[in-house]
Amino acid sequence: AQSVTQLGSHVSVSEGALVLLRCNYSSSVPPYLFWYVQYPNQGLQLLLKYTSAATLVKGINGFEAEFKKSETSFHLTKPSAHMSDAAEYFCAVSDWQGGKLIFGQGTELSVKP
Amino acid sequence: DAGVTQSPTHLIKTRGQQVTLRCSPKSGHDTVSWYQQALGQGPQFIFQYYEEEERQRGNFPDRFSGHQFPNYSSELNVNALLLGDSALYLCASSQDRGLNTEAFFGQGTRLTVV
């Protein structure tokens, strides 16, 4: 069985500060890992994905995530937060790229001016 | 490319009624998945359709059923609606084969059951 835990349902940072959103996963098979962003009343947009090609994954809008097998983690970071980054972020795991996604509960990111 | 389109965007139904939600996948995609997102929660997988058949199913009752048409579009049907079925229903499409088979999501259908 697979599962995802996102630590912190709400994270608040100042504009220009580092963004760190935490995700830990559980999987009995090599996982595919994803980060999605959701703006209010919108669907989900893919930020980045890990498919075993490289442990450090770069995504859109300056976000990146590092796959750490020993820690079963896939934390999302961005060096400098922008006001437009305020949204809900979801980490997800799957046993293959096109398979069902198991999502975490989400982390709401607030960015203060 | 219009991306994944869902209709309607909003819907209000009465408890006990039936509802049908529709999804058109992104151009070139042949697989459609449906998710239910309750308020303040992450999306929950309902089922996935490929080649007009249900390929995977999540932990949802038989009241939830679906269909995929030859043009890859899909419908989600929910019978005997309960208040707890109120949620955002998301459709995602993907390619079954290829290097990039990740899911692309539509804007969702907001279902309110009263």
Side-chain angles (χ1 to χ4, degrees):
Chain A
Q2 296 180 306
S3 66
V4 169
T5 301
Q6 291 184 240
L7 300 175
S9 58
H10 186 258
V11 170
S12 181
V13 301
S14 297
E15 192 172 19
L18 171 72
V19 175
L20 171 60
L21 305 183
R22 300 178 187 273
C23 171
N24 287 89
Y25 70 92
S26 172
S27 180
S28 57
V29 298
Y32 290 86
L33 293 160
F34 307 82
W35 275 99
Y36 283 88
V37 61
Q38 186 176 37
Y39 297 99
N41 300 313
Q42 303 265 326
L44 299 168
Q45 181 183 11
L46 180 66
L47 281 176
L48 47 81
K49 63 179 180 179
Y50 167 76
T51 58
S52 77
T55 56
L56 183 62
V57 182
K58 294 187 183 298
I60 62 172
N61 301 338
F63 284 94
E64 63 181 39
E66 186 173 8
F67 172 70
K68 292 187 177 180
K69 184 178 179 180
S70 61
E71 299 177 8
T72 60
S73 69
F74 190 58
H75 302 330
L76 181 71
T77 61
K78 182 174 180 177
S80 177
H82 192 273
M83 296 296 290
S84 61
D85 294 327
E88 187 87 18
Y89 291 80
F90 292 96
C91 180
V93 65
S94 180
D95 55 4
W96 58 286
Q97 258 200 98
K100 71 176 184 181
L101 294 165
I102 307 297
F103 286 89
Q105 292 288 81
T107 297
E108 183 182 0
L109 175 66
S110 299
V111 182
K112 299 174 291 186
Chain B
D1 184 2
V4 181
T5 58
Q6 294 186 241
S7 63
T9 55
H10 295 84
L11 202 53
I12 300 176
K13 288 288 190 178
T14 302
R15 188 173 49 182
Q17 285 188 315
Q18 178 265 344
V19 69
T20 297
L21 310 182
R22 295 176 175 82
C23 173
S24 293
K26 181 178 168 66
S27 178
H29 285 186
D30 55 10
T31 303
V32 173
S33 303
W34 287 92
Y35 293 82
Q36 180 195 67
Q37 186 179 19
L39 201 60
Q41 304 288 318
Q44 299 287 317
F45 176 78
I46 303 175
F47 42 53
Q48 183 180 85
Y49 276 84
Y50 173 66
E51 292 188 338
E52 301 180 50
E53 291 194 358
E54 184 183 286
R55 177 160 67 177
Q56 282 185 299
R57 189 179 181 91
N59 189 25
F60 278 80
D62 292 345
R63 297 187 298 109
F64 289 78
S65 63
H67 189 77
Q68 186 179 35
F69 299 93
N71 67 353
Y72 308 120
S73 67
S74 177
E75 289 182 348
L76 164 65
N77 301 292
V78 186
N79 294 322
L81 284 167
L82 304 174
L83 296 179
D85 295 331
S86 295
L88 180 68
Y89 288 84
L90 295 164
C91 170
S93 72
S94 57
Q95 281 181 303
D96 186 64
R97 299 281 186 267
L99 294 176
N100 295 302
T101 58
E102 68 268 19
F104 285 76
F105 283 80
Q107 300 286 74
T109 294
R110 174 74 62 187
L111 172 65
T112 303
V113 182
V114 297

